[in-house]
mmCIF file of all heavy atoms in Angstrom:
data_model
loop_
_atom_site.group_PDB
_atom_site.id
_atom_site.type_symbol
_atom_site.label_atom_id
_atom_site.label_comp_id
_atom_site.label_asym_id
_atom_site.label_seq_id
_atom_site.Cartn_x
_atom_site.Cartn_y
_atom_site.Cartn_z
ATOM 1 N N PRO A 1 10.160 84.632 113.643
ATOM 2 C CA PRO A 1 10.369 83.655 114.697
ATOM 3 C C PRO A 1 10.289 84.327 116.065
ATOM 4 O O PRO A 1 11.032 85.258 116.351
ATOM 5 C CB PRO A 1 11.769 83.131 114.429
ATOM 6 C CG PRO A 1 12.480 84.275 113.764
ATOM 7 C CD PRO A 1 11.422 85.051 113.025
ATOM 8 N N ALA A 2 9.376 83.886 116.893
ATOM 9 C CA ALA A 2 9.201 84.468 118.224
ATOM 10 C C ALA A 2 9.533 83.456 119.315
ATOM 11 O O ALA A 2 10.085 83.811 120.331
ATOM 12 C CB ALA A 2 7.775 84.969 118.386
ATOM 13 N N ILE A 3 9.181 82.210 119.085
ATOM 14 C CA ILE A 3 9.414 81.164 120.080
ATOM 15 C C ILE A 3 10.441 80.203 119.494
ATOM 16 O O ILE A 3 10.153 79.504 118.530
ATOM 17 C CB ILE A 3 8.104 80.433 120.419
ATOM 18 C CG1 ILE A 3 7.077 81.437 120.943
ATOM 19 C CG2 ILE A 3 8.345 79.323 121.416
ATOM 20 C CD1 ILE A 3 5.689 80.899 121.057
ATOM 21 N N LEU A 4 11.634 80.185 120.073
ATOM 22 C CA LEU A 4 12.696 79.352 119.510
ATOM 23 C C LEU A 4 12.651 77.926 120.017
ATOM 24 O O LEU A 4 13.029 77.000 119.308
ATOM 25 C CB LEU A 4 14.060 79.979 119.800
ATOM 26 C CG LEU A 4 14.263 81.369 119.197
ATOM 27 C CD1 LEU A 4 15.648 81.883 119.521
ATOM 28 C CD2 LEU A 4 14.026 81.342 117.697
ATOM 29 N N SER A 5 12.219 77.734 121.264
ATOM 30 C CA SER A 5 12.128 76.372 121.793
ATOM 31 C C SER A 5 10.902 76.291 122.695
ATOM 32 O O SER A 5 10.539 77.263 123.351
ATOM 33 C CB SER A 5 13.389 75.992 122.568
ATOM 34 O OG SER A 5 13.500 76.795 123.724
ATOM 35 N N MET A 6 10.317 75.128 122.708
ATOM 36 C CA MET A 6 9.126 74.898 123.516
ATOM 37 C C MET A 6 9.413 73.743 124.457
ATOM 38 O O MET A 6 9.715 72.636 124.013
ATOM 39 C CB MET A 6 7.948 74.550 122.604
ATOM 40 C CG MET A 6 6.656 74.266 123.325
ATOM 41 S SD MET A 6 5.906 75.678 124.099
ATOM 42 C CE MET A 6 5.457 76.650 122.702
ATOM 43 N N PRO A 7 9.326 74.002 125.775
ATOM 44 C CA PRO A 7 9.538 72.896 126.712
ATOM 45 C C PRO A 7 8.417 71.869 126.549
ATOM 46 O O PRO A 7 7.320 72.203 126.093
ATOM 47 C CB PRO A 7 9.492 73.567 128.080
ATOM 48 C CG PRO A 7 8.866 74.882 127.874
ATOM 49 C CD PRO A 7 9.045 75.255 126.439
ATOM 50 N N PRO A 8 8.678 70.619 126.893
ATOM 51 C CA PRO A 8 7.633 69.596 126.745
ATOM 52 C C PRO A 8 6.405 69.933 127.587
ATOM 53 O O PRO A 8 6.527 70.449 128.695
ATOM 54 C CB PRO A 8 8.292 68.309 127.240
ATOM 55 C CG PRO A 8 9.644 68.667 127.713
ATOM 56 C CD PRO A 8 9.900 70.102 127.454
ATOM 57 N N ILE A 9 5.250 69.659 127.030
ATOM 58 C CA ILE A 9 3.999 69.920 127.733
ATOM 59 C C ILE A 9 3.645 68.683 128.529
ATOM 60 O O ILE A 9 3.537 67.590 127.985
ATOM 61 C CB ILE A 9 2.883 70.282 126.735
ATOM 62 C CG1 ILE A 9 3.256 71.596 126.046
ATOM 63 C CG2 ILE A 9 1.538 70.387 127.439
ATOM 64 C CD1 ILE A 9 2.327 72.007 124.955
ATOM 65 N N GLU A 10 3.495 68.876 129.842
ATOM 66 C CA GLU A 10 3.176 67.754 130.720
ATOM 67 C C GLU A 10 1.665 67.588 130.791
ATOM 68 O O GLU A 10 0.945 68.519 131.128
ATOM 69 C CB GLU A 10 3.738 67.997 132.116
ATOM 70 C CG GLU A 10 5.248 68.059 132.151
ATOM 71 C CD GLU A 10 5.773 68.365 133.536
ATOM 72 O OE1 GLU A 10 5.006 68.278 134.505
ATOM 73 O OE2 GLU A 10 6.954 68.694 133.637
ATOM 74 N N GLY A 11 1.205 66.424 130.465
ATOM 75 C CA GLY A 11 -0.213 66.112 130.554
ATOM 76 C C GLY A 11 -0.434 65.073 131.623
ATOM 77 O O GLY A 11 0.504 64.598 132.260
ATOM 78 N N GLY A 12 -1.662 64.745 131.826
ATOM 79 C CA GLY A 12 -1.949 63.726 132.812
ATOM 80 C C GLY A 12 -3.439 63.566 133.008
ATOM 81 O O GLY A 12 -4.240 64.345 132.507
ATOM 82 N N ILE A 13 -3.785 62.542 133.739
ATOM 83 C CA ILE A 13 -5.179 62.268 134.034
ATOM 84 C C ILE A 13 -5.569 63.052 135.278
ATOM 85 O O ILE A 13 -4.818 63.124 136.237
ATOM 86 C CB ILE A 13 -5.392 60.759 134.249
ATOM 87 C CG1 ILE A 13 -5.044 60.010 132.968
ATOM 88 C CG2 ILE A 13 -6.815 60.464 134.675
ATOM 89 C CD1 ILE A 13 -5.039 58.510 133.117
ATOM 90 N N GLY A 14 -6.737 63.623 135.250
ATOM 91 C CA GLY A 14 -7.216 64.356 136.418
ATOM 92 C C GLY A 14 -7.568 65.778 136.088
ATOM 93 O O GLY A 14 -7.480 66.214 134.940
ATOM 94 N N LEU A 15 -7.954 66.496 137.099
ATOM 95 C CA LEU A 15 -8.410 67.864 136.921
ATOM 96 C C LEU A 15 -7.446 68.880 137.521
ATOM 97 O O LEU A 15 -7.849 69.965 137.922
ATOM 98 C CB LEU A 15 -9.802 68.023 137.548
ATOM 99 C CG LEU A 15 -10.882 67.139 136.941
ATOM 100 C CD1 LEU A 15 -12.183 67.270 137.714
ATOM 101 C CD2 LEU A 15 -11.091 67.471 135.480
ATOM 102 N N ASP A 16 -6.180 68.515 137.577
ATOM 103 C CA ASP A 16 -5.184 69.434 138.113
ATOM 104 C C ASP A 16 -4.987 70.610 137.165
ATOM 105 O O ASP A 16 -4.949 70.424 135.941
ATOM 106 C CB ASP A 16 -3.832 68.731 138.308
ATOM 107 C CG ASP A 16 -3.890 67.646 139.364
ATOM 108 O OD1 ASP A 16 -4.760 67.737 140.254
ATOM 109 O OD2 ASP A 16 -3.085 66.709 139.286
ATOM 110 N N VAL A 17 -4.843 71.799 137.718
ATOM 111 C CA VAL A 17 -4.525 72.970 136.912
ATOM 112 C C VAL A 17 -3.023 72.916 136.645
ATOM 113 O O VAL A 17 -2.217 73.019 137.563
ATOM 114 C CB VAL A 17 -4.914 74.272 137.636
ATOM 115 C CG1 VAL A 17 -4.532 75.478 136.794
ATOM 116 C CG2 VAL A 17 -6.395 74.283 137.955
ATOM 117 N N ARG A 18 -2.648 72.724 135.409
ATOM 118 C CA ARG A 18 -1.239 72.593 135.042
ATOM 119 C C ARG A 18 -0.697 73.930 134.555
ATOM 120 O O ARG A 18 -1.393 74.689 133.903
ATOM 121 C CB ARG A 18 -1.075 71.547 133.968
ATOM 122 C CG ARG A 18 -1.632 70.197 134.408
ATOM 123 C CD ARG A 18 -1.154 69.069 133.543
ATOM 124 N NE ARG A 18 -1.836 67.825 133.820
ATOM 125 C CZ ARG A 18 -1.659 67.066 134.882
ATOM 126 N NH1 ARG A 18 -0.807 67.433 135.794
ATOM 127 N NH2 ARG A 18 -2.327 65.951 135.048
ATOM 128 N N GLN A 19 0.568 74.178 134.882
ATOM 129 C CA GLN A 19 1.228 75.406 134.451
ATOM 130 C C GLN A 19 2.292 75.061 133.420
ATOM 131 O O GLN A 19 2.916 73.998 133.486
ATOM 132 C CB GLN A 19 1.868 76.124 135.634
ATOM 133 C CG GLN A 19 0.860 76.607 136.637
ATOM 134 C CD GLN A 19 1.504 77.414 137.746
ATOM 135 O OE1 GLN A 19 2.719 77.537 137.833
ATOM 136 N NE2 GLN A 19 0.679 77.988 138.595
ATOM 137 N N HIS A 20 2.477 75.966 132.489
ATOM 138 C CA HIS A 20 3.444 75.765 131.420
ATOM 139 C C HIS A 20 4.156 77.096 131.164
ATOM 140 O O HIS A 20 3.504 78.103 130.945
ATOM 141 C CB HIS A 20 2.714 75.283 130.158
ATOM 142 C CG HIS A 20 3.612 74.882 129.050
ATOM 143 N ND1 HIS A 20 4.440 73.784 129.121
ATOM 144 C CD2 HIS A 20 3.826 75.432 127.836
ATOM 145 C CE1 HIS A 20 5.105 73.674 127.986
ATOM 146 N NE2 HIS A 20 4.757 74.667 127.203
ATOM 147 N N ARG A 21 5.487 77.073 131.236
ATOM 148 C CA ARG A 21 6.269 78.288 131.006
ATOM 149 C C ARG A 21 6.816 78.294 129.587
ATOM 150 O O ARG A 21 7.416 77.324 129.143
ATOM 151 C CB ARG A 21 7.453 78.365 131.967
ATOM 152 C CG ARG A 21 7.064 78.571 133.380
ATOM 153 C CD ARG A 21 8.304 78.746 134.275
ATOM 154 N NE ARG A 21 7.954 78.676 135.663
ATOM 155 C CZ ARG A 21 7.408 79.669 136.346
ATOM 156 N NH1 ARG A 21 7.151 80.795 135.752
ATOM 157 N NH2 ARG A 21 7.105 79.532 137.617
ATOM 158 N N VAL A 22 6.596 79.427 128.915
ATOM 159 C CA VAL A 22 7.114 79.606 127.558
ATOM 160 C C VAL A 22 7.983 80.856 127.567
ATOM 161 O O VAL A 22 7.522 81.941 127.915
ATOM 162 C CB VAL A 22 5.975 79.764 126.531
ATOM 163 C CG1 VAL A 22 6.530 80.003 125.138
ATOM 164 C CG2 VAL A 22 5.073 78.542 126.540
ATOM 165 N N VAL A 23 9.243 80.696 127.179
ATOM 166 C CA VAL A 23 10.164 81.828 127.113
ATOM 167 C C VAL A 23 10.154 82.363 125.688
ATOM 168 O O VAL A 23 10.321 81.613 124.732
ATOM 169 C CB VAL A 23 11.593 81.412 127.531
ATOM 170 C CG1 VAL A 23 12.557 82.570 127.359
ATOM 171 C CG2 VAL A 23 11.593 80.928 128.970
ATOM 172 N N VAL A 24 9.921 83.660 125.581
ATOM 173 C CA VAL A 24 9.947 84.329 124.282
ATOM 174 C C VAL A 24 11.211 85.183 124.276
ATOM 175 O O VAL A 24 11.232 86.285 124.820
ATOM 176 C CB VAL A 24 8.680 85.196 124.086
ATOM 177 C CG1 VAL A 24 8.675 85.823 122.709
ATOM 178 C CG2 VAL A 24 7.428 84.370 124.316
ATOM 179 N N PRO A 25 12.316 84.660 123.677
ATOM 180 C CA PRO A 25 13.602 85.337 123.800
ATOM 181 C C PRO A 25 13.759 86.574 122.923
ATOM 182 O O PRO A 25 14.533 87.457 123.248
ATOM 183 C CB PRO A 25 14.610 84.261 123.404
ATOM 184 C CG PRO A 25 13.848 83.348 122.522
ATOM 185 C CD PRO A 25 12.433 83.391 122.977
ATOM 186 N N HIS A 26 13.042 86.637 121.815
ATOM 187 C CA HIS A 26 13.186 87.778 120.914
ATOM 188 C C HIS A 26 11.970 88.680 121.055
ATOM 189 O O HIS A 26 10.861 88.273 120.752
ATOM 190 C CB HIS A 26 13.309 87.323 119.455
ATOM 191 C CG HIS A 26 14.539 86.537 119.200
ATOM 192 N ND1 HIS A 26 15.776 87.108 119.132
ATOM 193 C CD2 HIS A 26 14.726 85.212 119.024
ATOM 194 C CE1 HIS A 26 16.679 86.165 118.906
ATOM 195 N NE2 HIS A 26 16.070 85.008 118.845
ATOM 196 N N LEU A 27 12.205 89.884 121.529
ATOM 197 C CA LEU A 27 11.097 90.815 121.674
ATOM 198 C C LEU A 27 10.877 91.537 120.347
ATOM 199 O O LEU A 27 11.259 92.687 120.162
ATOM 200 C CB LEU A 27 11.371 91.800 122.811
ATOM 201 C CG LEU A 27 11.408 91.177 124.203
ATOM 202 C CD1 LEU A 27 11.688 92.228 125.257
ATOM 203 C CD2 LEU A 27 10.114 90.465 124.511
ATOM 204 N N THR A 28 10.262 90.828 119.422
ATOM 205 C CA THR A 28 9.917 91.424 118.137
ATOM 206 C C THR A 28 8.785 92.421 118.355
ATOM 207 O O THR A 28 8.170 92.470 119.421
ATOM 208 C CB THR A 28 9.477 90.343 117.140
ATOM 209 O OG1 THR A 28 8.306 89.708 117.656
ATOM 210 C CG2 THR A 28 10.572 89.310 116.920
ATOM 211 N N GLN A 29 8.488 93.201 117.344
ATOM 212 C CA GLN A 29 7.431 94.202 117.462
ATOM 213 C C GLN A 29 6.093 93.545 117.794
ATOM 214 O O GLN A 29 5.306 94.077 118.572
ATOM 215 C CB GLN A 29 7.326 95.019 116.170
ATOM 216 C CG GLN A 29 6.415 96.217 116.312
ATOM 217 C CD GLN A 29 6.846 97.155 117.433
ATOM 218 O OE1 GLN A 29 8.016 97.497 117.573
ATOM 219 N NE2 GLN A 29 5.897 97.585 118.243
ATOM 220 N N GLU A 30 5.822 92.366 117.247
ATOM 221 C CA GLU A 30 4.560 91.671 117.522
ATOM 222 C C GLU A 30 4.475 91.229 118.978
ATOM 223 O O GLU A 30 3.423 91.327 119.607
ATOM 224 C CB GLU A 30 4.408 90.465 116.589
ATOM 225 C CG GLU A 30 4.199 90.806 115.144
ATOM 226 C CD GLU A 30 5.487 91.165 114.409
ATOM 227 O OE1 GLU A 30 6.572 90.810 114.891
ATOM 228 O OE2 GLU A 30 5.390 91.822 113.362
ATOM 229 N N VAL A 31 5.586 90.741 119.526
ATOM 230 C CA VAL A 31 5.609 90.311 120.923
ATOM 231 C C VAL A 31 5.414 91.516 121.841
ATOM 232 O O VAL A 31 4.644 91.460 122.800
ATOM 233 C CB VAL A 31 6.925 89.576 121.259
ATOM 234 C CG1 VAL A 31 7.019 89.286 122.745
ATOM 235 C CG2 VAL A 31 7.038 88.293 120.454
ATOM 236 N N ILE A 32 6.075 92.613 121.546
ATOM 237 C CA ILE A 32 5.935 93.820 122.355
ATOM 238 C C ILE A 32 4.494 94.318 122.307
ATOM 239 O O ILE A 32 3.918 94.685 123.330
ATOM 240 C CB ILE A 32 6.929 94.906 121.885
ATOM 241 C CG1 ILE A 32 8.361 94.472 122.222
ATOM 242 C CG2 ILE A 32 6.613 96.257 122.516
ATOM 243 C CD1 ILE A 32 9.431 95.316 121.607
ATOM 244 N N THR A 33 3.901 94.305 121.118
ATOM 245 C CA THR A 33 2.495 94.716 120.986
ATOM 246 C C THR A 33 1.596 93.807 121.800
ATOM 247 O O THR A 33 0.708 94.266 122.516
ATOM 248 C CB THR A 33 2.062 94.694 119.506
ATOM 249 O OG1 THR A 33 2.883 95.605 118.782
ATOM 250 C CG2 THR A 33 0.602 95.078 119.358
ATOM 251 N N MET A 34 1.829 92.503 121.710
ATOM 252 C CA MET A 34 0.988 91.548 122.416
ATOM 253 C C MET A 34 1.081 91.718 123.929
ATOM 254 O O MET A 34 0.076 91.654 124.625
ATOM 255 C CB MET A 34 1.379 90.112 122.036
ATOM 256 C CG MET A 34 0.496 89.060 122.669
ATOM 257 S SD MET A 34 0.936 87.395 122.194
ATOM 258 C CE MET A 34 2.404 87.125 123.161
ATOM 259 N N LEU A 35 2.273 91.948 124.451
ATOM 260 C CA LEU A 35 2.462 91.984 125.900
ATOM 261 C C LEU A 35 2.321 93.375 126.517
ATOM 262 O O LEU A 35 2.042 93.479 127.707
ATOM 263 C CB LEU A 35 3.830 91.403 126.257
ATOM 264 C CG LEU A 35 4.040 89.936 125.888
ATOM 265 C CD1 LEU A 35 5.437 89.491 126.275
ATOM 266 C CD2 LEU A 35 2.989 89.058 126.536
ATOM 267 N N ARG A 36 2.503 94.420 125.730
ATOM 268 C CA ARG A 36 2.432 95.769 126.306
ATOM 269 C C ARG A 36 1.194 96.540 125.870
ATOM 270 O O ARG A 36 0.642 97.299 126.663
ATOM 271 C CB ARG A 36 3.689 96.553 125.947
ATOM 272 C CG ARG A 36 4.895 96.023 126.693
ATOM 273 C CD ARG A 36 5.994 97.047 126.760
ATOM 274 N NE ARG A 36 7.029 96.589 127.668
ATOM 275 C CZ ARG A 36 8.315 96.709 127.440
ATOM 276 N NH1 ARG A 36 8.740 97.290 126.352
ATOM 277 N NH2 ARG A 36 9.196 96.264 128.314
ATOM 278 N N ALA A 37 0.759 96.389 124.642
ATOM 279 C CA ALA A 37 -0.397 97.161 124.165
ATOM 280 C C ALA A 37 -1.707 96.549 124.650
ATOM 281 O O ALA A 37 -2.686 97.258 124.827
ATOM 282 C CB ALA A 37 -0.389 97.243 122.643
ATOM 283 N N TYR A 38 -1.736 95.232 124.817
ATOM 284 C CA TYR A 38 -2.929 94.552 125.304
ATOM 285 C C TYR A 38 -2.690 94.101 126.737
ATOM 286 O O TYR A 38 -1.556 93.989 127.182
ATOM 287 C CB TYR A 38 -3.241 93.317 124.445
ATOM 288 C CG TYR A 38 -3.500 93.633 123.001
ATOM 289 C CD1 TYR A 38 -2.552 93.358 122.035
ATOM 290 C CD2 TYR A 38 -4.694 94.222 122.608
ATOM 291 C CE1 TYR A 38 -2.782 93.646 120.697
ATOM 292 C CE2 TYR A 38 -4.934 94.521 121.285
ATOM 293 C CZ TYR A 38 -3.975 94.228 120.334
ATOM 294 O OH TYR A 38 -4.211 94.525 119.020
ATOM 295 N N GLU A 39 -3.751 93.804 127.451
ATOM 296 C CA GLU A 39 -3.625 93.233 128.794
ATOM 297 C C GLU A 39 -3.583 91.718 128.617
ATOM 298 O O GLU A 39 -4.597 91.092 128.334
ATOM 299 C CB GLU A 39 -4.818 93.648 129.657
ATOM 300 C CG GLU A 39 -4.840 93.009 131.020
ATOM 301 C CD GLU A 39 -3.586 93.291 131.849
ATOM 302 O OE1 GLU A 39 -3.135 94.442 131.888
ATOM 303 O OE2 GLU A 39 -3.051 92.344 132.438
ATOM 304 N N PRO A 40 -2.407 91.094 128.752
ATOM 305 C CA PRO A 40 -2.313 89.665 128.447
ATOM 306 C C PRO A 40 -2.899 88.739 129.514
ATOM 307 O O PRO A 40 -3.215 87.593 129.220
ATOM 308 C CB PRO A 40 -0.809 89.433 128.294
ATOM 309 C CG PRO A 40 -0.185 90.492 129.135
ATOM 310 C CD PRO A 40 -1.103 91.674 129.070
ATOM 311 N N LYS A 41 -3.064 89.212 130.744
ATOM 312 C CA LYS A 41 -3.555 88.324 131.803
ATOM 313 C C LYS A 41 -4.943 87.803 131.433
ATOM 314 O O LYS A 41 -5.821 88.545 131.053
ATOM 315 C CB LYS A 41 -3.604 89.050 133.136
ATOM 316 C CG LYS A 41 -3.976 88.119 134.276
ATOM 317 C CD LYS A 41 -3.726 88.781 135.600
ATOM 318 C CE LYS A 41 -4.131 87.894 136.742
ATOM 319 N NZ LYS A 41 -3.211 86.836 137.011
ATOM 320 N N LEU A 42 -5.098 86.490 131.535
ATOM 321 C CA LEU A 42 -6.325 85.762 131.227
ATOM 322 C C LEU A 42 -6.685 85.748 129.745
ATOM 323 O O LEU A 42 -7.803 85.407 129.384
ATOM 324 C CB LEU A 42 -7.505 86.289 132.057
ATOM 325 C CG LEU A 42 -7.340 86.189 133.565
ATOM 326 C CD1 LEU A 42 -8.557 86.763 134.265
ATOM 327 C CD2 LEU A 42 -7.106 84.768 134.007
ATOM 328 N N ALA A 43 -5.736 86.104 128.886
ATOM 329 C CA ALA A 43 -5.973 85.986 127.442
ATOM 330 C C ALA A 43 -5.974 84.503 127.079
ATOM 331 O O ALA A 43 -5.159 83.729 127.583
ATOM 332 C CB ALA A 43 -4.891 86.717 126.657
ATOM 333 N N PRO A 44 -6.902 84.072 126.223
ATOM 334 C CA PRO A 44 -6.936 82.655 125.848
ATOM 335 C C PRO A 44 -5.702 82.267 125.034
ATOM 336 O O PRO A 44 -5.200 83.057 124.239
ATOM 337 C CB PRO A 44 -8.210 82.525 125.022
ATOM 338 C CG PRO A 44 -8.541 83.899 124.579
ATOM 339 C CD PRO A 44 -7.950 84.842 125.578
ATOM 340 N N VAL A 45 -5.226 81.043 125.260
ATOM 341 C CA VAL A 45 -4.020 80.542 124.599
ATOM 342 C C VAL A 45 -4.271 79.127 124.095
ATOM 343 O O VAL A 45 -4.894 78.317 124.784
ATOM 344 C CB VAL A 45 -2.826 80.509 125.583
ATOM 345 C CG1 VAL A 45 -1.621 79.840 124.960
ATOM 346 C CG2 VAL A 45 -2.474 81.893 126.048
ATOM 347 N N GLU A 46 -3.786 78.856 122.904
ATOM 348 C CA GLU A 46 -3.750 77.496 122.376
ATOM 349 C C GLU A 46 -2.345 77.248 121.849
ATOM 350 O O GLU A 46 -1.755 78.122 121.235
ATOM 351 C CB GLU A 46 -4.751 77.312 121.234
ATOM 352 C CG GLU A 46 -6.188 77.325 121.665
ATOM 353 C CD GLU A 46 -7.150 77.072 120.507
ATOM 354 O OE1 GLU A 46 -6.696 76.995 119.347
ATOM 355 O OE2 GLU A 46 -8.346 76.963 120.771
#
C-alpha cells in the first residue's frame, strides 16, 4: 500500500490545465526508488 487516500479528481469542460495533489504517506522502497532513483518530473501518469 503506497497511496492510502486519493482526493477527488476535479474535471470540467474546457482546456484548462488542471492540477491534482497526491500525498504518498508511506515511503516504501518502491516509492523511494520511483522518486529518487528516477527523475520524476514530466513522467507520464495515469
Side-chain angles (χ1 to χ4, degrees):
I3 302 169
L4 299 181
S5 66
M6 179 69 67
I9 296 175
E10 296 177 14
I13 298 172
L15 299 174
D16 295 335
V17 178
R18 303 196 189 287
Q19 295 185 354
H20 187 67
R21 292 184 192 281
V22 178
V23 176
V24 183
H26 295 286
L27 293 180
T28 62
Q29 190 57 46
E30 292 80 19
V31 173
I32 291 170
T33 300
M34 183 179 75
L35 297 179
R36 289 201 170 138
Y38 300 105
E39 175 58 45
K41 186 168 178 76
L42 300 179
V45 173
E46 290 183 354

